[in-house]
Amino acid sequence: MDRTVADPMIGRVLDGRYLVGPRVARGGMATVYEATDLRLDRLCALKVMHGGLGDDGDFAGRFVREARAAARLSHPHVVGVFDQGDDDGTLFLAMEYVPGGTLRDLIRTQAPMAPAQALALLDPVLSALAAAHKAGLIHRDVKPENVLLAEDGRVKVADFGLARAVTAHTQHTTAGVLIGTVSYLSPELLVDGRADARSDVYAAGVVLYEMLTGRKPHEGDSAIQVAYKHVHEDVPAPSRLVPSLPAYVDALVARATARNPHLRPADARVLLHQVRRVRAALDHGVVDDPELTCDLAPTVPVQRLGGTPDDIDYVRDEPAEAPTVLSPEQAVQTASRTTSSEDTTAFGSLPRTRPAPAGGRTGGPEQRRRSPGRRRGPVLLSVVLLLAVAAAMGGWWFGAGRFTTTPGVVNLSTRAAGAKVAAAGLTFRVAGRAYSETVPVGAVVSTRPAGGHNVPRHGTVSALVSRGPERHPVPSLATMTLASARTALTGSHLTVGEASYAWSDKVAKGVVLRSDPRPGTVLRRGAAVDLVVSKGPAPVRVPHLTGKDADAATSTLRRLGLKVASTERNSRTVAKGAVISQAPVSGRLLRGDTVRLVVSKGPVLVEVPEVRRMSAERATSTLEQAGFRVSTDHVQYYLGLGIVVQETPGAGDLAPQGSTITISVI
């Protein structure tokens, strides 16, 4: 999306709370912007309805329903809705902001995808839709553009603005208008506007087809042509474009995109279960699983004889005929029936008996001479029959008789699997146990040989039984260094996620403060654990202490966790006990650092010299040489002699250097 285009909405503050930022996307009903929630100081996505649509009651109502519908869904794979408001006719939604791209972007760059990757992406989408279907909501606009892929790997389904509560009165689209993208609309929604959970299933199946092949199943020059194909043509098998796809993947796509909604999974939860069965088969390298393919293949509706059109049974859509393998007993019976024919057997033509001549006589001497040949006929027939039986038995043994097909038993309990394998003439053995995210505890994860393989009769099928999902507790990582914590997580089959840093007065720099999730939390193998690492003590702002009492200044610095180094110096301007200077004067220090103070001892004290009986000039000179200033005062009865008769302070007293000595002259 070009964010440089002038947009009057950018820079506005909606509802006195949301500062609108750059534009992210634009749709048919609304435009999405990055925005800042000024009240909570967080980034969010703001969906603003296009101008003028707010005047349409239907559109406005549908927009408000988006907030109510999505707010009812609390699911990790659904984009959260925070708020809904109306700013002078501008309707908007505040939603969770998911930085990253969309599934459409990924399809453009990576499709066709491997089936394992495509199903891994579809799994969280179906999980979100399953939660919506359970809450009685349908999305009705499932498409790659509405699947958001976060930068951290999260998958989120967005835009439940077209979702509506499923009730007996609200299954039609408003005013008969079809909502959604035509390439993903189900046939029933196109024909009569009806939608339910199976419509979302159909759209999800189309998305899966597009991921597997890189193309949409139905394309045309116009939306009408595409819609016509959805109604009248089945979605083709993805293997037509990608021949390496297993048959059971084709069956999964066919089941999800069946034109008859009765043949599709009932909702996203059922489709999710089927997707996970296919993922399990792919994870274990199963190339062909006839049983799984048969289970997933859509069934064909058949009306019962004498019933009404609503009396429908469902049978599997299977080939009209399959080749028949005869047992030895069946081969003997077949050969007998064949040789009873007048002309031929299965192994060639037998000699015909010549017709009797006219008159009904059976023959003359020549015929009677050939009668021993006729007696050899049954002998030859017996030989032929024995050869036929031997050939049939040999063919049966070296063909079908010696081998049998391994049944598919994945997801079955060991008891059920053992019974099914035994019924096929094979021995069942539990070879070990393995973790599985999709197969329940005690059920079969995989077999060797896999289901659908031809094996000699009375062979052994070795099975791995599920131990359930592999989970590992988060170890205690506090007080470890980051490197040690990484090693500990690796040993616990977990990984380090995001490492953030925080100040700590008690924990040394580089040491783990805490983990998220907490120690003891059970996680799946390879899950990420976020760590908070200490940056050491937080820096402290140095206060201004010059001129303050040294004792008070020292107490202040120590409360901040700083050390104090004091020296004393005389000062004529700073009172004794006050701070003359400090280093550093300002800035920030770490706890434990030292602030140096220079404390005043007051001015230098000098002994006042004796100047009485000196002339005023000599007394002034003597006092100035001692570092004093001199003030001259005449006594009350001044005679003009110029002799000092008194000094203040008196001789021998200590006075601050630079202070004034007053002399009295007579």
Side-chain angles (χ1 to χ4, degrees):
M1 175 64 67
D2 185 4
R3 302 186 181 192
T4 63
V5 178
D7 189 328
M9 187 62 63
I10 297 176
R12 282 185 57 184
V13 177
L14 297 184
D15 204 22
R17 176 175 181 177
Y18 299 102
L19 175 61
V20 182
R23 188 167 65 193
V24 176
R26 182 179 177 86
M29 284 177 54
T31 301
V32 181
Y33 301 87
E34 288 183 19
T36 302
D37 185 342
L38 301 177
R39 187 177 304 168
L40 298 179
D41 191 24
R42 68 177 176 185
L43 193 65
C44 63
L46 209 65
K47 187 170 186 179
V48 181
M49 180 181 285
H50 293 165
L53 292 181
D55 299 332
D56 187 322
D58 290 338
F59 275 97
R62 189 179 305 119
F63 193 82
V64 173
R65 281 197 299 273
E66 175 172 358
R68 295 176 180 173
R72 290 169 55 187
L73 296 177
S74 178
H75 192 274
H77 296 302
V78 174
V79 174
V81 173
F82 301 146
D83 191 14
Q84 180 269 328
D86 183 347
D87 186 278
D88 292 332
T90 301
L91 295 175
F92 66 89
L93 288 177
M95 304 179 297
E96 175 186 5
Y97 179 69
V98 183
T102 67
L103 183 57
R104 171 63 64 206
D105 302 325
L106 194 66
I107 290 175
R108 289 194 186 102
T109 58
Q110 296 190 18
M113 301 180 190
Q117 180 187 7
L119 293 175
L121 289 168
L122 188 64
D123 191 297
V125 175
L126 293 176
S127 180
L129 292 175
H133 294 167
K134 184 177 180 181
L137 303 171
I138 51 177
H139 191 289
R140 304 212 308 181
D141 197 19
V142 178
K143 57 185 178 181
E145 288 80 359
N146 283 336
V147 178
L148 307 184
L149 306 180
E151 295 172 350
D152 59 5
R154 292 174 298 152
V155 178
K156 297 269 190 176
V157 178
D159 199 0
F160 273 84
L162 303 177
R164 301 181 59 185
V166 180
T167 68
H169 303 289
T170 60
Q171 290 186 339
H172 287 82
T173 54
T174 303
V177 179
L178 290 176
I179 304 169
T181 305
V182 68
S183 294
Y184 306 92
L185 292 183
S186 61
E188 66 273 14
L189 189 56
L190 290 166
V191 171
D192 58 13
R194 292 184 178 272
D196 58 18
R198 295 170 296 184
S199 302
D200 287 346
V201 168
Y202 183 90
V206 175
V207 171
L208 175 58
Y209 179 94
E210 193 171 355
M211 287 192 287
L212 293 171
T213 65
R215 296 174 57 182
K216 296 175 182 177
H218 298 310
E219 296 178 338
D221 295 332
S222 66
I224 296 298
Q225 292 178 352
V226 175
Y228 182 88
K229 290 183 178 181
H230 276 284
V231 174
H232 296 282
E233 298 179 12
D234 291 331
V235 170
S239 61
R240 291 187 181 180
L241 297 177
V242 185
S244 61
L245 291 176
Y248 52 80
V249 174
D250 280 346
L252 176 66
V253 174
R255 185 66 169 269
T257 59
R259 283 185 290 156
N260 187 336
H262 296 289
L263 306 186
R264 294 180 217 143
D267 56 24
R269 181 188 60 82
V270 178
L271 180 58
L272 178 61
H273 172 72
Q274 295 172 347
V275 164
R276 289 176 176 172
R277 287 186 63 190
V278 173
R279 289 186 66 187
L282 292 170
D283 290 344
H284 293 92
V286 177
V287 177
D288 184 25
D289 189 338
E291 182 180 1
L292 178 58
T293 303
C294 183
D295 287 346
L296 293 177
T299 54
V300 178
V302 178
Q303 184 172 333
R304 295 194 296 267
L305 292 177
T308 66
D310 293 332
D311 294 333
I312 301 294
D313 287 335
Y314 294 91
V315 298
R316 299 218 174 266
D317 187 8
E318 298 175 345
E321 285 189 27
T324 302
V325 178
L326 299 179
S327 67
E329 294 78 9
Q330 292 171 325
V332 172
Q333 296 172 4
T334 302
S336 300
R337 288 194 299 271
T338 305
T339 55
S340 65
S341 173
E342 182 183 1
D343 294 329
T344 61
T345 69
F347 306 98
S349 299
L350 294 177
R352 291 174 180 254
T353 303
R354 291 190 179 185
R361 298 179 60 184
T362 59
E366 184 178 353
Q367 285 181 317
R368 287 193 293 271
R369 285 196 296 268
R370 289 199 297 266
S371 60
R374 295 213 308 270
R375 289 195 297 268
R376 288 196 297 268
V379 176
L380 291 175
L381 179 59
S382 299
V383 172
V384 170
L385 288 176
L386 290 174
L387 290 175
V389 171
M393 292 185 66
W396 176 80
W397 172 251
F398 289 104
R402 185 181 175 188
F403 293 92
T404 186
T405 301
T406 307
V409 295
V410 173
N411 278 319
L412 296 182
S413 66
T414 52
R415 176 177 296 180
K420 193 170 183 179
V421 170
L426 300 171
T427 301
F428 181 78
R429 181 176 70 91
V430 176
R433 296 183 176 273
Y435 292 108
S436 174
E437 294 293 327
T438 57
V439 179
V441 177
V444 175
V445 175
S446 64
T447 60
R448 181 175 296 180
H453 284 215
N454 288 330
V455 295
R457 290 184 181 275
H458 309 298
T460 300
V461 175
S462 300
L464 286 179
V465 178
S466 174
R467 299 172 60 181
E470 182 177 4
R471 296 293 183 265
H472 300 279
V474 177
S476 178
L477 303 173
T479 72
M480 291 186 183
T481 63
L482 182 57
S484 298
R486 192 183 304 275
T487 302
L489 287 173
T490 301
S492 298
H493 305 290
L494 302 172
T495 60
V496 175
E498 180 181 353
S500 57
Y501 294 83
W503 304 108
S504 175
D505 297 334
K506 299 180 180 179
V507 179
K509 182 178 180 180
V511 175
V512 175
L513 290 171
R514 58 185 177 274
S515 65
D516 183 19
R518 298 177 181 177
T521 304
V522 178
L523 301 177
R524 65 187 303 171
R525 184 186 184 95
V529 177
D530 296 336
L531 301 177
V532 179
V533 183
S534 172
K535 294 196 295 183
V540 177
R541 185 185 298 276
V542 178
H544 181 70
L545 301 171
T546 302
K548 298 185 180 297
D549 180 76
D551 292 338
T554 299
S555 178
T556 298
L557 292 173
R558 286 175 177 168
R559 281 198 305 271
L560 295 175
L562 301 173
K563 296 179 180 179
V564 180
S566 300
T567 58
E568 294 184 331
R569 193 175 70 193
N570 293 107
S571 174
R572 294 187 305 176
T573 58
V574 179
K576 181 179 180 179
V579 177
I580 298 173
S581 63
Q582 67 182 79
V585 177
S586 60
R588 293 180 179 273
L589 295 176
L590 297 178
R591 296 179 188 274
D593 288 349
T594 300
V595 176
R596 302 185 180 278
L597 300 180
V598 178
V599 181
S600 174
K601 296 193 297 182
V604 178
L605 297 179
V606 180
E607 184 178 351
V608 178
E610 176 66 65
V611 294
R612 285 180 299 175
R613 294 181 296 278
M614 292 183 183
S615 65
E617 292 79 6
R618 183 183 174 190
T620 299
S621 176
T622 300
L623 291 171
E624 287 179 348
Q625 289 178 4
F628 297 106
R629 289 178 295 193
V630 179
S631 174
T632 302
D633 186 21
H634 294 161
V635 298
Q636 184 178 1
Y637 301 103
Y638 177 67
L639 301 177
L641 298 178
I643 303 298
V644 176
V645 295
Q646 187 179 356
E647 57 183 308
T648 305
D653 292 341
L654 294 176
Q657 189 176 37
S659 60
T660 300
I661 304 297
T662 301
I663 57 176
S664 298
V665 180
I666 188 172

